[in-house]
Amino acid sequence: MKRTNEIGNYLDSLFPNPKCELIYHNDYELLIAIVLSAQTTDKRVNTVTPVLFHRYPSLYDLKNASIDELENILRPIGSFHIKAKYVKSIATILNEKFHDSVPRDRDLLISLPGVGRKTCNVFLSEFYKEAAIAVDTHVDRVSKRLGIAKVSDDVLLVEEKLMKTFPKEEWGRRHLQLVLFGRYYCKAVKPQCADCLLISLCHEKNKNIPSI
Ligand code: SF4
């Protein structure tokens, strides 16, 4: 409990008002932006989505876009062949089966191309403020460094341990804070350990602080 409070208080002090960094204007733009963010950064995604949604301003337009054109727009974010297919397929399904809206249902969401558990959790937490903790690479790394999860735990186990660690009403906020902490402070390479107030809890501190 003491450890949970210490982590929570520190995250609150660093990120009192955490926000999703993806730019979007409606439910499907958010879902597609999350799908596009796999294996790349939100910053990069934000460079292509305004172009994509300006060129194709509706799901109907996206559904009818050529794969070649979608690939050209998505090229800067990598994995653009598969991501172009996901965008077109998602737009087709949402347009034809869901009246141009994103279903608020886990099973239906996960049945969409390119949408896994993490994407589903990010979407429901961000758009509908549902209690969920999505485990991406940052959340996974930080949770393991702070001893919330074991190094050998898979993402599902990390998610379960995070849900046991933090009260349900905090899940959405903690997810965003852990992402931001991992992105800007507890980075994969050269984390800022010297300034980190969680150093006494950390399993990696000795590896990351240069000896004097
Ligand atoms: S001490 Fe370093 S590795 Fe550990 S949580 Fe803080 S920033 Fe991350």
Side-chain angles (χ1 to χ4, degrees):
M1 192 63 188
K2 187 170 171 272
R3 184 188 64 167
T4 306
N5 287 342
E6 217 173 307
I7 294 170
N9 290 341
Y10 188 51
L11 292 174
D12 284 340
S13 72
L14 289 177
F15 311 105
N17 192 19
K19 291 217 170 21
C20 170
E21 294 186 321
L22 290 168
I23 297 170
Y24 66 94
H25 302 94
N26 57 43
D27 55 355
Y28 77 79
E29 285 191 10
L30 173 62
L31 183 70
I32 287 174
I34 300 168
V35 169
L36 295 179
S37 71
Q39 314 297 326
T40 188
T41 62
D42 289 2
K43 238 184 207 170
R44 270 178 184 264
V45 172
N46 289 339
T47 65
V48 300
T49 44
V51 181
L52 180 70
F53 298 129
H54 180 73
R55 173 77 180 84
Y56 303 103
S58 70
L59 285 166
Y60 179 82
D61 296 322
L62 273 175
K63 158 178 113 168
N64 290 309
S66 81
I67 286 287
D68 281 355
E69 277 208 49
L70 291 176
E71 285 182 355
N72 273 339
I73 294 172
L74 301 178
R75 193 175 295 269
I77 60 173
S79 308
F80 56 93
H81 295 303
I82 187 72
K83 286 179 179 175
K85 287 197 183 93
Y86 286 155
V87 169
K88 191 170 167 79
S89 303
I90 289 171
T92 304
I93 295 168
L94 295 183
N95 176 252
E96 294 179 0
K97 291 194 181 162
F98 295 106
H99 310 288
D100 279 343
S101 64
V102 179
R104 187 179 178 175
D105 177 286
R106 282 183 171 273
D107 292 337
L108 291 176
L109 271 170
I110 287 179
S111 73
L112 294 170
V115 177
R117 186 178 177 84
K118 185 198 78 178
T119 298
C120 176
N121 279 346
V122 175
F123 177 80
L124 291 174
S125 166
E126 170 65 16
F127 200 78
Y128 289 113
K129 307 301 172 210
E130 284 190 16
I133 298 191
V135 180
D136 70 355
T137 181
H138 300 299
V139 176
D140 185 71
R141 182 178 64 254
V142 171
S143 301
K144 289 174 179 174
R145 284 177 173 174
L146 291 176
I148 294 171
K150 287 187 189 159
V151 173
S152 56
D153 290 345
D154 62 21
V155 284
L156 204 56
L157 207 47
V158 175
E159 183 183 324
E160 277 172 22
K161 288 182 176 178
L162 283 165
M163 290 193 296
K164 279 189 193 144
T165 300
F166 296 110
K168 193 170 182 179
E169 63 274 15
E170 294 181 4
W171 289 354
R173 183 164 101 249
R174 296 301 178 217
H175 155 71
L176 288 168
Q177 291 172 325
L178 288 167
V179 170
L180 295 170
F181 184 54
R183 193 174 285 164
Y184 298 112
Y185 293 83
C186 188
K187 297 182 242 181
V189 181
K190 294 193 185 164
Q192 298 177 17
C193 301
D195 301 322
C196 180
L197 295 190
L198 298 179
I199 198 160
S200 61
L201 305 176
C202 182
H203 292 200
E204 290 227 0
K205 60 190 175 215
N206 294 331
K207 293 187 208 159
N208 295 319
I209 295 189
S211 44
I212 299 168

PDB file of all heavy atoms in Angstrom, residues 142-162:
ATOM      1  N   VAL A 142       7.877   0.104 -17.256  1.00  0.00           N
ATOM      2  CA  VAL A 142       7.847   0.821 -15.979  1.00  0.00           C
ATOM      3  C   VAL A 142       7.314  -0.099 -14.870  1.00  0.00           C
ATOM      4  O   VAL A 142       7.855  -0.132 -13.756  1.00  0.00           O
ATOM      5  CB  VAL A 142       6.974   2.103 -16.110  1.00  0.00           C
ATOM      6  CG1 VAL A 142       6.742   2.732 -14.749  1.00  0.00           C
ATOM      7  CG2 VAL A 142       7.636   3.102 -17.049  1.00  0.00           C
ATOM      8  N   SER A 143       6.270  -0.859 -15.166  1.00  0.00           N
ATOM      9  CA  SER A 143       5.689  -1.754 -14.155  1.00  0.00           C
ATOM     10  C   SER A 143       6.719  -2.764 -13.673  1.00  0.00           C
ATOM     11  O   SER A 143       6.772  -3.092 -12.482  1.00  0.00           O
ATOM     12  CB  SER A 143       4.492  -2.520 -14.740  1.00  0.00           C
ATOM     13  OG  SER A 143       3.521  -1.625 -15.186  1.00  0.00           O
ATOM     14  N   LYS A 144       7.535  -3.246 -14.574  1.00  0.00           N
ATOM     15  CA  LYS A 144       8.551  -4.235 -14.206  1.00  0.00           C
ATOM     16  C   LYS A 144       9.708  -3.584 -13.450  1.00  0.00           C
ATOM     17  O   LYS A 144      10.205  -4.119 -12.475  1.00  0.00           O
ATOM     18  CB  LYS A 144       9.037  -4.974 -15.454  1.00  0.00           C
ATOM     19  CG  LYS A 144       7.951  -5.902 -15.982  1.00  0.00           C
ATOM     20  CD  LYS A 144       8.275  -6.564 -17.290  1.00  0.00           C
ATOM     21  CE  LYS A 144       7.098  -7.489 -17.675  1.00  0.00           C
ATOM     22  NZ  LYS A 144       7.243  -8.084 -18.991  1.00  0.00           N
ATOM     23  N   ARG A 145      10.111  -2.408 -13.866  1.00  0.00           N
ATOM     24  CA  ARG A 145      11.191  -1.725 -13.148  1.00  0.00           C
ATOM     25  C   ARG A 145      10.768  -1.374 -11.719  1.00  0.00           C
ATOM     26  O   ARG A 145      11.577  -1.420 -10.803  1.00  0.00           O
ATOM     27  CB  ARG A 145      11.585  -0.441 -13.902  1.00  0.00           C
ATOM     28  CG  ARG A 145      12.413  -0.724 -15.143  1.00  0.00           C
ATOM     29  CD  ARG A 145      12.738   0.532 -15.917  1.00  0.00           C
ATOM     30  NE  ARG A 145      13.672   0.248 -17.007  1.00  0.00           N
ATOM     31  CZ  ARG A 145      14.046   1.130 -17.919  1.00  0.00           C
ATOM     32  NH1 ARG A 145      13.574   2.363 -17.885  1.00  0.00           N
ATOM     33  NH2 ARG A 145      14.901   0.788 -18.856  1.00  0.00           N
ATOM     34  N   LEU A 146       9.499  -1.032 -11.560  1.00  0.00           N
ATOM     35  CA  LEU A 146       9.032  -0.634 -10.233  1.00  0.00           C
ATOM     36  C   LEU A 146       8.581  -1.825  -9.386  1.00  0.00           C
ATOM     37  O   LEU A 146       8.106  -1.657  -8.267  1.00  0.00           O
ATOM     38  CB  LEU A 146       7.876   0.372 -10.360  1.00  0.00           C
ATOM     39  CG  LEU A 146       8.280   1.739 -10.896  1.00  0.00           C
ATOM     40  CD1 LEU A 146       7.063   2.633 -11.078  1.00  0.00           C
ATOM     41  CD2 LEU A 146       9.287   2.404  -9.948  1.00  0.00           C
ATOM     42  N   GLY A 147       8.726  -3.027  -9.925  1.00  0.00           N
ATOM     43  CA  GLY A 147       8.403  -4.218  -9.138  1.00  0.00           C
ATOM     44  C   GLY A 147       6.921  -4.496  -9.010  1.00  0.00           C
ATOM     45  O   GLY A 147       6.497  -5.331  -8.212  1.00  0.00           O
ATOM     46  N   ILE A 148       6.099  -3.803  -9.805  1.00  0.00           N
ATOM     47  CA  ILE A 148       4.658  -4.102  -9.798  1.00  0.00           C
ATOM     48  C   ILE A 148       4.445  -5.460 -10.470  1.00  0.00           C
ATOM     49  O   ILE A 148       3.587  -6.242 -10.075  1.00  0.00           O
ATOM     50  CB  ILE A 148       3.866  -2.994 -10.529  1.00  0.00           C
ATOM     51  CG1 ILE A 148       3.968  -1.671  -9.760  1.00  0.00           C
ATOM     52  CG2 ILE A 148       2.402  -3.397 -10.729  1.00  0.00           C
ATOM     53  CD1 ILE A 148       3.415  -0.467 -10.496  1.00  0.00           C
ATOM     54  N   ALA A 149       5.258  -5.731 -11.485  1.00  0.00           N
ATOM     55  CA  ALA A 149       5.177  -7.010 -12.189  1.00  0.00           C
ATOM     56  C   ALA A 149       6.573  -7.609 -12.291  1.00  0.00           C
ATOM     57  O   ALA A 149       7.574  -6.916 -12.069  1.00  0.00           O
ATOM     58  CB  ALA A 149       4.598  -6.788 -13.590  1.00  0.00           C
ATOM     59  N   LYS A 150       6.601  -8.905 -12.611  1.00  0.00           N
ATOM     60  CA  LYS A 150       7.899  -9.571 -12.785  1.00  0.00           C
ATOM     61  C   LYS A 150       8.359  -9.427 -14.233  1.00  0.00           C
ATOM     62  O   LYS A 150       7.528  -9.325 -15.150  1.00  0.00           O
ATOM     63  CB  LYS A 150       7.756 -11.058 -12.489  1.00  0.00           C
ATOM     64  CG  LYS A 150       7.582 -11.380 -11.043  1.00  0.00           C
ATOM     65  CD  LYS A 150       7.630 -12.898 -10.895  1.00  0.00           C
ATOM     66  CE  LYS A 150       7.235 -13.289  -9.499  1.00  0.00           C
ATOM     67  NZ  LYS A 150       6.782 -14.670  -9.433  1.00  0.00           N
ATOM     68  N   VAL A 151       9.657  -9.493 -14.431  1.00  0.00           N
ATOM     69  CA  VAL A 151      10.221  -9.371 -15.780  1.00  0.00           C
ATOM     70  C   VAL A 151       9.633 -10.431 -16.711  1.00  0.00           C
ATOM     71  O   VAL A 151       9.396 -10.190 -17.888  1.00  0.00           O
ATOM     72  CB  VAL A 151      11.766  -9.494 -15.718  1.00  0.00           C
ATOM     73  CG1 VAL A 151      12.365  -9.533 -17.110  1.00  0.00           C
ATOM     74  CG2 VAL A 151      12.347  -8.334 -14.929  1.00  0.00           C
ATOM     75  N   SER A 152       9.344 -11.606 -16.159  1.00  0.00           N
ATOM     76  CA  SER A 152       8.855 -12.710 -16.997  1.00  0.00           C
ATOM     77  C   SER A 152       7.345 -12.619 -17.278  1.00  0.00           C
ATOM     78  O   SER A 152       6.824 -13.393 -18.072  1.00  0.00           O
ATOM     79  CB  SER A 152       9.167 -14.046 -16.324  1.00  0.00           C
ATOM     80  OG  SER A 152       8.596 -14.058 -15.029  1.00  0.00           O
ATOM     81  N   ASP A 153       6.634 -11.682 -16.647  1.00  0.00           N
ATOM     82  CA  ASP A 153       5.177 -11.599 -16.845  1.00  0.00           C
ATOM     83  C   ASP A 153       4.818 -11.178 -18.264  1.00  0.00           C
ATOM     84  O   ASP A 153       5.452 -10.277 -18.837  1.00  0.00           O
ATOM     85  CB  ASP A 153       4.561 -10.568 -15.873  1.00  0.00           C
ATOM     86  CG  ASP A 153       4.592 -11.053 -14.432  1.00  0.00           C
ATOM     87  OD1 ASP A 153       4.819 -12.264 -14.210  1.00  0.00           O
ATOM     88  OD2 ASP A 153       4.397 -10.217 -13.542  1.00  0.00           O
ATOM     89  N   ASP A 154       3.781 -11.798 -18.824  1.00  0.00           N
ATOM     90  CA  ASP A 154       3.305 -11.325 -20.128  1.00  0.00           C
ATOM     91  C   ASP A 154       2.368 -10.125 -19.908  1.00  0.00           C
ATOM     92  O   ASP A 154       2.028  -9.790 -18.764  1.00  0.00           O
ATOM     93  CB  ASP A 154       2.621 -12.449 -20.922  1.00  0.00           C
ATOM     94  CG  ASP A 154       1.395 -13.004 -20.221  1.00  0.00           C
ATOM     95  OD1 ASP A 154       0.822 -12.310 -19.346  1.00  0.00           O
ATOM     96  OD2 ASP A 154       0.983 -14.132 -20.553  1.00  0.00           O
ATOM     97  N   VAL A 155       1.957  -9.501 -21.001  1.00  0.00           N
ATOM     98  CA  VAL A 155       1.196  -8.235 -20.857  1.00  0.00           C
ATOM     99  C   VAL A 155      -0.124  -8.422 -20.112  1.00  0.00           C
ATOM    100  O   VAL A 155      -0.567  -7.531 -19.387  1.00  0.00           O
ATOM    101  CB  VAL A 155       0.929  -7.550 -22.217  1.00  0.00           C
ATOM    102  CG1 VAL A 155       2.160  -6.875 -22.746  1.00  0.00           C
ATOM    103  CG2 VAL A 155       0.340  -8.476 -23.226  1.00  0.00           C
ATOM    104  N   LEU A 156      -0.721  -9.592 -20.274  1.00  0.00           N
ATOM    105  CA  LEU A 156      -1.987  -9.839 -19.585  1.00  0.00           C
ATOM    106  C   LEU A 156      -1.794  -9.876 -18.071  1.00  0.00           C
ATOM    107  O   LEU A 156      -2.583  -9.316 -17.307  1.00  0.00           O
ATOM    108  CB  LEU A 156      -2.576 -11.169 -20.090  1.00  0.00           C
ATOM    109  CG  LEU A 156      -4.068 -11.333 -19.948  1.00  0.00           C
ATOM    110  CD1 LEU A 156      -4.808 -10.204 -20.641  1.00  0.00           C
ATOM    111  CD2 LEU A 156      -4.503 -12.689 -20.519  1.00  0.00           C
ATOM    112  N   LEU A 157      -0.708 -10.511 -17.657  1.00  0.00           N
ATOM    113  CA  LEU A 157      -0.398 -10.590 -16.226  1.00  0.00           C
ATOM    114  C   LEU A 157      -0.018  -9.211 -15.689  1.00  0.00           C
ATOM    115  O   LEU A 157      -0.393  -8.837 -14.572  1.00  0.00           O
ATOM    116  CB  LEU A 157       0.752 -11.593 -16.026  1.00  0.00           C
ATOM    117  CG  LEU A 157       0.827 -12.300 -14.680  1.00  0.00           C
ATOM    118  CD1 LEU A 157      -0.529 -12.838 -14.255  1.00  0.00           C
ATOM    119  CD2 LEU A 157       1.831 -13.445 -14.769  1.00  0.00           C
ATOM    120  N   VAL A 158       0.715  -8.451 -16.488  1.00  0.00           N
ATOM    121  CA  VAL A 158       1.070  -7.082 -16.064  1.00  0.00           C
ATOM    122  C   VAL A 158      -0.216  -6.271 -15.871  1.00  0.00           C
ATOM    123  O   VAL A 158      -0.382  -5.559 -14.873  1.00  0.00           O
ATOM    124  CB  VAL A 158       1.988  -6.392 -17.104  1.00  0.00           C
ATOM    125  CG1 VAL A 158       2.239  -4.937 -16.724  1.00  0.00           C
ATOM    126  CG2 VAL A 158       3.310  -7.137 -17.231  1.00  0.00           C
ATOM    127  N   GLU A 159      -1.145  -6.414 -16.810  1.00  0.00           N
ATOM    128  CA  GLU A 159      -2.420  -5.687 -16.704  1.00  0.00           C
ATOM    129  C   GLU A 159      -3.162  -6.095 -15.423  1.00  0.00           C
ATOM    130  O   GLU A 159      -3.647  -5.238 -14.678  1.00  0.00           O
ATOM    131  CB  GLU A 159      -3.277  -5.995 -17.945  1.00  0.00           C
ATOM    132  CG  GLU A 159      -4.584  -5.229 -17.976  1.00  0.00           C
ATOM    133  CD  GLU A 159      -5.452  -5.607 -19.176  1.00  0.00           C
ATOM    134  OE1 GLU A 159      -4.908  -5.867 -20.266  1.00  0.00           O
ATOM    135  OE2 GLU A 159      -6.689  -5.640 -19.013  1.00  0.00           O
ATOM    136  N   GLU A 160      -3.208  -7.390 -15.150  1.00  0.00           N
ATOM    137  CA  GLU A 160      -3.899  -7.868 -13.936  1.00  0.00           C
ATOM    138  C   GLU A 160      -3.239  -7.309 -12.682  1.00  0.00           C
ATOM    139  O   GLU A 160      -3.919  -6.886 -11.747  1.00  0.00           O
ATOM    140  CB  GLU A 160      -3.845  -9.401 -13.877  1.00  0.00           C
ATOM    141  CG  GLU A 160      -4.919 -10.068 -14.705  1.00  0.00           C
ATOM    142  CD  GLU A 160      -4.719 -11.583 -14.773  1.00  0.00           C
ATOM    143  OE1 GLU A 160      -4.041 -12.159 -13.899  1.00  0.00           O
ATOM    144  OE2 GLU A 160      -5.228 -12.175 -15.742  1.00  0.00           O
ATOM    145  N   LYS A 161      -1.908  -7.302 -12.658  1.00  0.00           N
ATOM    146  CA  LYS A 161      -1.203  -6.818 -11.471  1.00  0.00           C
ATOM    147  C   LYS A 161      -1.404  -5.306 -11.278  1.00  0.00           C
ATOM    148  O   LYS A 161      -1.541  -4.832 -10.154  1.00  0.00           O
ATOM    149  CB  LYS A 161       0.287  -7.176 -11.559  1.00  0.00           C
ATOM    150  CG  LYS A 161       0.503  -8.672 -11.365  1.00  0.00           C
ATOM    151  CD  LYS A 161       1.957  -9.070 -11.382  1.00  0.00           C
ATOM    152  CE  LYS A 161       2.071 -10.566 -11.072  1.00  0.00           C
ATOM    153  NZ  LYS A 161       3.464 -11.058 -11.105  1.00  0.00           N
ATOM    154  N   LEU A 162      -1.444  -4.583 -12.381  1.00  0.00           N
ATOM    155  CA  LEU A 162      -1.700  -3.140 -12.277  1.00  0.00           C
ATOM    156  C   LEU A 162      -3.117  -2.888 -11.751  1.00  0.00           C
ATOM    157  O   LEU A 162      -3.340  -1.989 -10.941  1.00  0.00           O
ATOM    158  CB  LEU A 162      -1.533  -2.470 -13.649  1.00  0.00           C
ATOM    159  CG  LEU A 162      -0.086  -2.240 -14.093  1.00  0.00           C
ATOM    160  CD1 LEU A 162      -0.019  -1.930 -15.578  1.00  0.00           C
ATOM    161  CD2 LEU A 162       0.557  -1.120 -13.283  1.00  0.00           C
TER     162      LEU A 162
END
